[in-house]
Amino acid sequence: QSDAVNTVLQNFPYQRLADATASLNSMQTWSKGDWKKLLTQLDDTDSLRLKPTLALSAYVHHIALDAKLKSATAVTLSSAINYVKSFYGRALIIEHLAYLGDDAAVKTLSKLLSSNSVLIGNAARALATIHSKAAIDGLNKGLKKAMEPARSHIQAALDNANSVLPEIKPAFV
């Protein structure tokens, strides 16, 4: 189990995608234990979490266009919120959940809105980025229960999700 994670981490950072493709593809077959080993390394000190950060970011971007892998990764990352303890690790996971934009993350992110976590703003922005009906409903439910300063973060995320850009008209007609 740990050999698979360490083997992958040896390839990061990479200069050419071809150098990391095999590692990124192998991550698709990892067990929950392998993912936990990688993600708990985000709790390490600054210099030790660089490789896991780069590997996670590369993987998330690698699979983002595959709906099945995107959803499975969102489930994996959502469960990691329970065992990754550092602010850095949890904030990075929330950022990647927003990027994936999958409803599988909505329940976890919505729970963060009703906690006393310093990550309420991050979770609210992630839900606004996901922008599905379930995500907007999660924000609205969170807003009803929230106290300041969390309420302001959630309201700002809702305002952002509901905003519409003005129409761009040609200058010369």
Side-chain angles (χ1 to χ4, degrees):
Q1 166 184 335
S2 63
D3 291 337
V5 175
N6 292 331
T7 301
V8 164
L9 290 180
Q10 289 176 2
N11 292 309
F12 293 93
Y14 64 89
Q15 296 297 317
R16 296 180 308 266
L17 180 59
D19 296 343
T21 301
S23 293
L24 295 170
N25 289 336
S26 75
M27 291 171 78
Q28 294 174 16
T29 62
W30 276 6
S31 68
K32 286 182 181 181
D34 291 331
W35 280 106
K36 185 172 184 174
K37 179 172 174 39
L38 175 79
L39 296 170
T40 55
Q41 289 182 38
L42 296 173
D43 289 336
D44 288 338
T45 58
D46 289 342
S47 62
L48 295 177
R49 66 180 175 215
L50 177 63
K51 286 183 178 240
T53 297
L54 295 173
L56 177 61
S57 295
Y59 180 75
V60 167
H61 287 84
H62 179 71
I63 58 92
L65 296 178
D66 183 315
K68 185 178 176 186
L69 289 173
K70 183 170 76 166
S71 186
T73 303
V75 169
T76 299
L77 293 179
S78 292
S79 68
I81 291 291
N82 296 321
Y83 56 81
V84 173
K85 301 300 179 200
S86 68
F87 174 83
Y88 172 83
R90 296 178 90 194
L92 183 68
I93 289 168
I94 291 168
E95 179 182 315
H96 287 307
L97 288 171
Y99 177 77
L100 291 170
D102 195 275
D103 273 348
V106 169
K107 183 177 179 183
T108 298
L109 294 169
S110 294
K111 279 184 184 178
L112 286 173
L113 297 180
S114 61
S115 70
N116 288 328
S117 173
V118 295
L119 295 164
I120 291 171
N122 301 60
R125 285 188 300 279
L127 286 165
T129 301
I130 292 171
H131 207 274
S132 66
K133 181 180 179 342
I136 302 301
D137 288 347
L139 284 167
N140 282 318
K141 287 178 187 172
L143 183 64
K144 289 177 185 174
K145 298 176 185 175
M147 303 296 287
E148 287 300 335
R151 185 173 186 72
S152 297
H153 288 289
I154 298 168
Q155 185 61 59
L158 275 168
D159 292 346
N160 182 278
N162 294 326
S163 69
V164 178
L165 293 174
E167 179 182 358
I168 299 174
K169 297 180 182 179
F172 304 101
V173 181

